[in-house]
Amino acid sequence: MPELPEVETVVRGLQAQLPGRRIVEVRFGKTDFVVNPAAIEQHLPGQRIGAVRRFGKFLLVECSAADPARPRDAAAGAATKGAVGPATKGTMEKDALLIHLGMTGQLTIAAASAPVAPHTHVFFALDDGREVRYTDIRRFGRMELLRNGERERALGALGLDPLEASEEEFSARFGARHARVKALLLDQHVLRGVGNIYADESLWRARVHPMRTGDALRPEEMRRLYRALQATLREAIRLRGSSVSDYVDAEGARGEFQLRHRVYQREGKKCFRCGAVIRRAIVAGRSSHFCPGCQRAPRRRRRSSKK
DNA sequence: CTTACGGCCTGGGTGC
DNA sequence: TGCACCCAGGCCGTAA
């Protein structure tokens, strides 16, 4: 399941290979996960790839017309700091291919002559004989070409990047909410990039039960959660993500953080910290793994049902 | 407004 | 061997 660390790993792999390459052709298999395939086929061929960045769980592949007679574009885009935001207003946004990997999406670089994996639905042929391929068994992913001015609409509502947020920002957001912390961690409008694996792993590390509500966390718990989240994400990036099913990086290699999971998919096994048996329960509609020994459940009774 | 929840996308794994 | 069905995770619509 590609979450922030997996997407970051893929982005780094693409960023090391793609900038400067020109896209010569785009070919599609199935397109039901592509917002406007015709626009992609029309606008991308001939463009040169610029930066590849991550925004939450989204990847952005920036492109610009490879016409050397117009060096102004490069100058305008070079100073771009964030991917979205009011700061981009007034300046020219480069075209950017927006990609979400969903559950089973893979973006890999391969020689055009290399065998094609099943469920590969998009091919971006490059000017060096290689191609970027998008493979997605379930096709829960998304792909869309964002043209000038469209980033705000596509990405503007997303929350803080958990690795960039300060403890104060994090506490303010969580402390103001009565929803369960598990739901808050997964809510992309609160934080962008956290999914089920890293929500569960961070909560275990922080010793916070997933059913606690944001506004009920004591200051030290809030601080532990903030730190646990960042530490977990950073370690997962260092280990190139979690490969629990289909995830691979841009070179097709699996990650290793699944070997460090403490609760995720460890139902029935012993807690590494206290020895209690890891449990699984549905919280916020999602399968949640936690240790009943060191993650204390909130007082029962979720909502007062007046009457 | 906030929160909770059901359903949808698809196909691999499971169990009969 | 075949086949029905559960389920994964993100997201969206709807209800309260």
Side-chain angles (χ1 to χ4, degrees), chain A residues 152-302:
Chain A
E152 174 63 25
R153 165 186 61 76
L155 302 172
L158 292 175
L160 303 167
D161 187 294
L163 291 178
E164 294 174 1
S166 69
E167 186 178 342
E168 291 69 30
E169 291 172 317
F170 178 87
S171 300
R173 293 228 170 180
F174 272 53
R177 300 288 298 270
H178 188 60
R180 296 156 174 163
V181 289
K182 177 64 185 276
L184 295 175
L185 286 167
L186 293 178
D187 188 341
Q188 301 300 299
H189 303 288
V190 177
L191 295 174
R192 57 179 196 257
V194 181
N196 209 35
I197 295 174
Y198 298 102
D200 283 2
E201 292 297 320
S202 299
L203 287 167
W204 177 84
R205 187 166 180 141
R207 307 197 304 279
V208 172
H209 193 283
M211 292 182 98
R212 299 285 302 283
T213 60
D215 58 6
L217 291 184
R218 288 174 286 126
E220 62 267 33
E221 293 175 317
M222 191 76 83
R223 158 169 286 224
R224 287 209 306 267
L225 182 55
Y226 170 77
R227 295 192 169 185
L229 177 60
Q230 292 204 340
T232 301
L233 293 173
R234 289 207 172 93
E235 189 183 0
I237 290 171
R238 189 169 63 76
L239 294 179
R240 309 181 63 77
S242 301
S243 290
V244 293
S245 58
D246 303 87
Y247 163 72
V248 293
D249 67 17
E251 283 78 44
R254 291 164 57 83
E256 293 185 345
F257 191 71
Q258 69 278 5
L259 303 174
R260 303 285 183 92
H261 288 177
R262 291 303 186 242
V263 283
Y264 187 76
Q265 290 192 343
R266 292 197 68 246
E267 181 183 15
K269 297 181 177 162
K270 287 187 177 178
C271 173
F272 283 106
R273 193 165 43 211
C274 77
V277 177
I278 301 301
R279 300 229 326 245
R280 184 172 71 95
I282 301 299
V283 181
R286 309 238 68 86
S287 197
S288 299
H289 312 75
F290 61 95
C291 170
C294 42
Q295 291 167 271
R296 304 291 295 282
R299 303 173 186 283
R300 32 208 145 160
R301 180 181 72 65
R302 289 248 74 260

Side-chain angles (χ1 to χ4, degrees), chain A residues 25-68:
Chain A
E25 183 190 20
V26 180
R27 304 193 311 279
F28 286 107
K30 293 185 178 179
T31 58
D32 55 357
F33 59 95
V34 184
V35 169
N36 187 348
I40 292 174
E41 284 178 314
Q42 180 187 347
H43 289 109
L44 281 193
Q47 292 214 22
R48 200 175 293 283
I49 298 174
V52 181
R53 17 171 137 245
R54 178 184 64 76
F55 200 83
K57 298 176 193 172
F58 289 90
L59 295 97
L60 280 166
V61 181
E62 294 189 334
C63 302
S64 49
D67 181 359

Side-chain angles (χ1 to χ4, degrees), chain A residues 138-158:
Chain A
R138 305 260 158 87
R139 302 203 303 285
F140 283 9
R142 284 271 164 244
M143 192 174 293
E144 178 180 12
L145 178 63
L146 299 180
R147 311 209 63 206
N148 184 37
E150 295 185 320
R151 291 193 197 185
E152 174 63 25
R153 165 186 61 76
L155 302 172
L158 292 175

